[in-house]
Amino acid sequence: QQQVKQSPQSLIVQKGGISIINCAYENTAFDYFPWYQQFPGKGPALLIAIRPDVSEKKEGRFTISFNKSAKQFSLHIMDSQPGDSATYFCAASSGSAGAGSYQLTFGKGTKLSVIP
Amino acid sequence: NAGVMQNPRHLVRRRGQEARLRCSPMKGHSHVYWYRQLPEEGLKFMVYLQKENIIDESGMPKERFSAEFPKEGPSILRIQQVVRGDSAAYFCASSPEQGALKNIQYFGAGTRLSVL
């Protein structure tokens, strides 16, 4: 049972455009939602994260939108650049003891290609 | 301030051999997580350890796999009698003590295991 569903699987965006990646979760105990960026042959790098007490968080060109009632969250990359071309993973975890020990449950990833 | 260090970066083993993967967490971090990533897939949780304790091994295969995080030295993920299906990238993540920074995990560059 996949607990975090991510879409689309791949995304092609023109330079300067907006990249949008969506995730939906099932476990209402989740209370931490990070996004990771991974380049080929590298480890995932923490990009931005949100907790459910806010509906939006912005850091530079990256914004997370969070909809608690719909159990959905999304990543928006403004002014997308070729250097943003990577695979992006959403994830979720719970901080409640005995509810998963803070392990991250990952989506399957979105391969983003930003073309000049 | 070094990040999460994993070695070796690449490991080749023949079927039936043992694989040992090492992970040194970030300075000041005492929580270690191991994840496995198959090609074109997201990361799957395997085990969560604190110094000298396995906290959650719910994602670990019941046979051939073991993990430890001794009082001194790195965390070790051991795979005995490897099979071709064990070929994957294995990532280690570390996090600081709980509290406001709980859940936040930083990943190493991974060990890519190839079983011939």
Side-chain angles (χ1 to χ4, degrees):
Chain A
Q1 181 186 6
Q2 183 186 359
Q3 294 190 42
V4 178
K5 294 184 179 180
Q6 183 172 347
S7 63
Q9 190 173 352
S10 62
L11 182 61
I12 299 174
V13 174
Q14 288 268 318
K15 179 182 175 181
I18 303 174
S19 304
I20 302 174
I21 305 170
N22 301 298
C23 283
Y25 63 97
E26 300 167 3
N27 187 347
T28 55
F30 287 150
D31 63 358
Y32 174 70
F33 304 89
W35 285 87
Y36 284 86
Q37 179 189 57
Q38 186 178 32
F39 293 102
K42 305 294 184 183
L46 180 63
L47 198 59
I48 187 173
I50 198 168
R51 298 189 189 274
D53 51 344
V54 296
S55 60
E56 185 175 283
K57 182 174 181 180
K58 184 176 181 180
E59 290 184 1
R61 295 186 294 111
F62 301 92
T63 300
I64 298 179
S65 297
F66 184 79
N67 185 328
K68 188 175 181 179
S69 60
K71 294 188 285 186
Q72 295 175 345
F73 59 110
S74 60
L75 175 70
H76 295 232
I77 306 174
M78 311 300 286
D79 188 26
S80 299
Q81 299 297 312
D84 296 331
S85 297
T87 299
Y88 292 80
F89 293 96
C90 62
S93 72
S94 167
S96 303
S101 69
Y102 313 108
Q103 62 175 269
L104 289 168
T105 299
F106 282 85
K108 289 195 171 184
T110 296
K111 188 171 183 179
L112 172 65
S113 299
V114 181
I115 55 177
Chain B
N1 185 15
V4 178
M5 303 300 293
Q6 290 189 249
N7 66 82
R9 291 294 311 277
H10 300 273
L11 182 60
V12 180
R13 285 289 178 265
R14 296 190 180 278
R15 281 178 296 170
Q17 291 184 321
E18 179 180 281
R20 279 195 177 202
L21 288 63
R22 289 176 289 277
C23 169
S24 295
M26 286 180 70
K27 185 177 181 180
H29 289 190
S30 58
H31 301 258
V32 165
Y33 297 78
W34 286 94
Y35 293 82
R36 177 164 61 178
Q37 185 179 34
L38 295 171
E40 308 301 322
E41 292 282 328
L43 285 77
K44 302 288 187 188
F45 167 77
M46 299 181 74
V47 61
Y48 163 44
L49 310 103
Q50 296 178 19
K51 285 284 187 181
E52 299 185 280
N53 283 304
I54 297 175
I55 306 302
D56 181 357
E57 55 182 350
S58 59
M60 192 94 97
K62 294 289 184 264
E63 298 178 349
R64 303 189 297 109
F65 287 72
S66 62
E68 62 177 7
F69 190 14
K71 186 177 180 180
E72 301 291 336
S75 175
I76 305 287
L77 178 67
R78 183 182 292 110
I79 311 172
Q80 296 177 302
Q81 299 173 353
V82 296
V83 300
R84 289 213 172 119
D86 296 332
S87 295
Y90 292 83
F91 290 96
C92 169
S94 73
S95 68
E97 292 296 325
Q98 305 310 309
L101 298 178
K102 66 181 180 184
N103 310 85
I104 300 176
Q105 296 181 25
Y106 299 92
F107 283 81
T111 293
R112 275 128 188 103
L113 172 66
S114 298
V115 179
L116 304 179

